[in-house]
Amino acid sequence: MRSRSLSAVLISGLVVAACTAPTPSSFEWIDEPALEASARDEPPPDDELEPSGVTDVTVPDPSAGGSSSSERSMAREAAPTAPVVAFLNGGGGTYTAGVDDAARRVSSVLSFYGRRSATAPPTGYAGATWQELLDCVREKFARYDVTITDRRPVGAYSEIVVTNAWGSSILGLSNAIGGIAPLGACRVVPQAVGFVFQPVYDRPGYGGVAGACEAVAHELAHTLSLSHEQLAADLMSYSPANPAKRFQDANAACGVSAQAPEACTCGAATQNSHRQLLSMVGARAANGGATNPADTTPPVVRVVSPANGASAPGNANVTVAVDATDETGLADVRLVWQQTQRALACDDSVQGVTCVVSGDRRTWTIFAGTGARSFYAYAVDGGGNTTSTPLVTISLTGAAPDAPPTVAVQLPADRAVLARGAAIDFQAAAADDRAVADVRAIWTFAGGTLEYPMAQTTTPGVYRATTSVSATATAGWRSVEIAVVDDGGNRALSPKRWVYVQ
Ligand SMILES: [Zn+2]
């Protein structure tokens, strides 16, 4: 892990909103710690490059106060709350240097690096994958009055360019940098333009679309004045990709680590990213859930089943029941399935996952393979208070597909001769790799077929039934077969044995 922390010289102008505008030569540039192996759902292939950490860069708020003045302003008043429209640009484009103006494709990032222009190629995401990114970013901002769109809006808007290019190729940045954006000086940077470099997140272990989604949310939040902070569960942290990351309602020290502190843009000793977003852009009036900033009591959530450590058949549906309640209403409840790194809403939006709501209970059904699976649930209330359950790990067994059962007939002896009215025994050994569900004898005579269910004897795996030949039976040959069905529905049928009734 490298750390290139440059001293932060704070200069601000006479404009009260301009509280912390670092000079262009004094931005911070700190690498993210390498991803923890445990944070990845799948181990990387052997030939994968070692994750070297992802970082991002903020550039000074381009229009906040006069940079010609070295007068320090102690006033740290936030700008009035105003909604923001954010354009998620997957189409790329050519941008020129200047004070941010998304509609004119002017970016202060270019000015910062002394580049006259830069051309960003389009995103590599398409179709459902692009939609997944869009949905994910919308979910991150669901509680705030930020409209996320992927069509270039009319009027004033901010823009995050998701480009399928490394920062090195279009801006001369380090390839460890996942995104870059202007940092609002305790205010929303108007018409801001930021960039997210998709190839950084396409590498195994970097989260893919989910990682890019977090980067978009992170960069956009920089333009909305949020500093880095040290709370790992917060989107403004540098902790590894995690679908449960959100803007947390908690006070956290600013900077990406205790070793690399940063000033919080609004001048307080700590940052509460949720509250700061509410003060910058306001709460979304109708977000499909409750919004109640006065609510400070967190919701209650628990995994009802399965229990931690439980085993269940693999290659089958797993059912997870979660109960969640809040005294003023829930804004969101998610099941975080770690293998796929997805935070599943109860909305059937993910193929292979269904969910039903009944009262306080949400029940997800997920088709899963075999092996260990871990998950947890979290609930968010209208005040942004979040409660997560402990991690639950279950074991999905039965890696091999269910094999058919086997059967070996023991009685009657082949070509046995029976008198009318005599007793007859059917007996067979039956076995299965999982469980035998049914064993029965099939008696075929001129008039049809009769079946005799057989019960397991005191000898495990040996099944038996006894009946007798009718006293009025006609003389002739009968056949006997033993049929075995296992718990997976696989059936085995023995060879025929012949019995003569005389
Ligand atoms: Zn950042």
Side-chain angles (χ1 to χ4, degrees), residues 224-241:
L224 305 177
S225 82
L226 266 60
S227 304
H228 291 134
E229 65 174 62
Q230 295 168 33
L231 184 62
D234 196 281
L235 281 162
M236 300 317 293
S237 76
Y238 266 7
S239 67

Side-chain angles (χ1 to χ4, degrees), residues 55-58 179 218-219 222 226-228 236 238 256:
T55 184
D56 75 329
V57 179
T58 57
H218 179 110
E219 299 305 332
H222 276 321
L226 266 60
S227 304
H228 291 134
M236 300 317 293
Y238 266 7
V256 296

Side-chain angles (χ1 to χ4, degrees), residues 88-424:
L88 203 55
N89 179 8
T94 297
Y95 294 79
T96 56
V99 174
D100 287 279
D101 186 342
R104 291 175 46 237
R105 296 167 178 76
V106 178
S107 164
S108 63
V109 169
L110 272 65
S111 309
F112 187 81
Y113 287 101
R115 296 194 164 235
R116 230 173 257 172
S117 76
T119 298
T123 178
Y125 301 134
T129 312
W130 174 257
Q131 187 64 42
E132 186 183 336
L133 177 72
L134 187 63
D135 289 346
C136 175
V137 175
R138 283 177 173 154
E139 194 273 326
K140 300 298 185 193
F141 286 94
R143 293 174 292 167
Y144 316 106
D145 206 347
V146 177
T147 302
I148 310 284
T149 176
D150 64 347
R151 297 190 178 182
R152 193 173 284 278
V154 176
Y157 60 90
S158 299
E159 173 174 345
I160 301 293
V161 184
V162 181
T163 180
N164 195 14
W166 297 91
S168 57
S169 69
I170 58 173
L171 289 168
L173 304 174
S174 155
N175 282 345
I177 293 173
I180 186 167
L183 173 63
C186 199
R187 61 160 206 159
V188 173
V189 177
Q191 288 96 52
V193 177
F195 297 86
V196 167
F197 308 110
Q198 182 193 330
V200 171
Y201 301 96
D202 285 346
R203 294 175 296 172
Y206 287 80
V209 175
C213 164
E214 291 176 15
V216 169
H218 179 110
E219 299 305 332
L220 181 56
H222 276 321
T223 75
L224 305 177
S225 82
L226 266 60
S227 304
H228 291 134
E229 65 174 62
Q230 295 168 33
L231 184 62
D234 196 281
L235 281 162
M236 300 317 293
S237 76
Y238 266 7
S239 67
N242 175 349
K245 263 192 182 182
R246 53 195 301 114
F247 299 110
Q248 300 286 350
D249 185 9
N251 296 328
C254 290
V256 296
S257 71
Q259 291 72 41
E262 297 171 22
C264 299
T265 59
C266 286
T270 57
Q271 171 175 277
N272 180 317
S273 62
H274 171 67
R275 304 275 164 185
Q276 191 162 324
L277 279 174
L278 288 177
S279 76
M280 292 291 155
V281 302
R284 186 183 300 276
N287 65 356
T291 295
N292 183 1
D295 180 0
T296 56
T297 305
V300 176
V301 60
R302 71 186 179 104
V303 175
V304 178
S305 66
N308 189 31
S311 291
N315 295 317
N317 282 325
V318 176
T319 298
V320 179
V322 172
D323 282 355
T325 55
D326 185 75
E327 81 288 358
T328 65
L330 291 162
D332 199 11
V333 179
R334 295 294 176 114
L335 175 66
V336 180
W337 193 255
Q338 294 220 312
Q339 199 204 14
T340 54
Q341 288 279 294
R342 297 196 83 150
L344 301 164
C346 193
D347 62 1
D348 295 358
S349 63
V350 174
Q351 192 175 8
V353 180
T354 59
C355 184
V356 293
V357 182
S358 175
D360 297 332
R361 179 160 300 174
R362 287 161 174 79
T363 304
W364 283 267
T365 302
I366 301 170
F367 188 86
T370 59
R373 292 291 183 274
S374 296
F375 59 88
Y376 65 97
Y378 70 83
V380 186
D381 69 15
N385 307 294
T386 304
T387 304
S388 296
T389 70
L391 195 68
V392 175
T393 299
I394 60 174
S395 175
L396 302 178
T397 57
D402 186 13
T406 57
V407 57
V409 182
Q410 295 172 339
L411 291 173
D414 193 26
R415 301 183 187 273
V417 177
L418 293 172
R420 276 170 274 190
I424 178 169

